[in-house]
Amino acid sequence: MKKSIILLFTIIQFTGCKTVSNERVFQKESLIPWSIVGFDVKERTPEQRLDMLKRLGFNQYAYGNRPKHIPTMKHEWLLAKKKGIAIKAVWLYINLNKDKVNKLKPESEVVFKNLKTVGLKTQIWVGFEPKYFEKLSDEASLVQAVTMIEYLSKRAKKLGCKIALYNHGGWFGKPENQLKIIQLLPKEDIGIIFNFHHAHEDLDTYSKNIKMLLPYLWCVNLNGMKKEGPKIISIGKGNLEKDMIQQVLNLNYKGTFGILGHVKGGDPELILEENYSGLLELFDKQNTINP
C-alpha cells in the first residue's frame, strides 16, 4: 500500500496533474449567479428572483440592475438578507459624460444611498461606458479613470465596501489599463472582475493577461467561448472555455467564479441550469484537472 501511494505521488509530480474536487471548486454554494436581474424575460419580482435562486440551490448572487429596477433595489437587498441569500456584489455603471467626482448621476448615487441604508457591505463592480474614451489619448483616459476610481473607492470604504474593475469593453476594459489604474492607487484595495464574455477581443493574449491580473482577481465570470463568437453562449457549447478555466485553476486562483444567467430574451432559471450542467460536464467524473 505504501509503495502504491509513493508511486501515485511520483506520477502526479511527473505529469504535473492536480487532482481537484469539482465539489469544492464548482459547488453551487461557491458560484455567483450574475446578470439575472437586468436580462430576465419573465421580469421577476425580487421575491420571485430570490425564490428562483433558492430553488436552484444557490445561496448568493451579484446584483446587476437596470434603471427600471431602482424602485425595488433596496427592497430586494433587505429581502435577500432576510432569506439568507448573500449579495456578493452590486453593479455600478459609470458614464464620464454624466458621472463626475462629487456629483454622480442619480442612477449611480442611489447605489451608494441604498448600500448605506441597508448596511450592505459588499463588492461594487464598476464598468465604464466605453464610448467616452474613444476620442481620448491613453494619458487622458488614465487620468480620468484613476480620478474616478479613487473617488469611488474612498466612498466605498466608508460603507465597508470595495471597488472592483469590470472589463466591459473599450479602453477601460483592457487588462493592461486596469492594471495601470490599480498600480497608481496603491493605498486603495481594488480588485478585478474578469468576464469571459467581454474578452473576445483579447483571446490571443488571454494566457498572458490572466497571469498578469491574478494578484487582483476577485471573480472570474464564466461563459462558453468561441473566437468567432457569438458573445454569449452556454458553458460547454464553445471550444475554448475549458482550457481558459483550466489555466485559471492551474494558477492556483483563490477567488470566486461567477456563472451567467444572461442571454438576451432568455429565462435566467433555464440559463443558470444549462450553464451549471455544462460547467460540470467540462470536467470528468474523476475530477482530475490537467495543466
Side-chain angles (χ1 to χ4, degrees), residues 217-246:
L217 276 183
W218 289 355
C219 185
V220 178
N221 288 322
L222 306 177
N223 178 57
M225 296 293 288
K226 293 181 180 179
K227 188 169 185 178
E228 66 276 13
K231 180 178 178 180
I232 297 178
I233 55 177
S234 298
I235 299 172
K237 302 295 185 183
N239 55 11
L240 297 176
E241 65 268 27
K242 182 175 183 179
D243 178 66
M244 291 173 69
I245 296 169
Q246 185 64 67

Side-chain angles (χ1 to χ4, degrees), residues 46 63 65-66 69-78 91 107 110-111 114 118:
Y63 181 87
N65 67 294
R66 292 295 179 268
H69 300 107
I70 288 175
T72 61
M73 181 190 295
K74 182 173 69 173
H75 170 64
E76 181 160 343
W77 296 358
L78 289 169
W91 171 243
E107 295 88 347
V110 73
V111 173
N114 285 335
V118 175

Side-chain angles (χ1 to χ4, degrees), residues 143-184:
V143 168
Q144 296 201 35
V146 167
T147 300
M148 177 56 76
I149 292 299
E150 182 177 28
Y151 165 70
L152 295 175
S153 180
K154 291 185 182 303
R155 286 196 64 178
K157 280 194 293 186
K158 291 179 181 179
L159 301 175
C161 297
K162 295 181 180 181
I163 294 294
L165 312 184
Y166 185 103
N167 60 323
H168 195 269
W171 181 91
F172 182 78
K174 293 290 184 182
E176 61 270 23
N177 293 332
Q178 293 190 337
L179 190 61
K180 289 177 184 177
I181 293 168
I182 290 175
Q183 290 174 339
L184 287 171

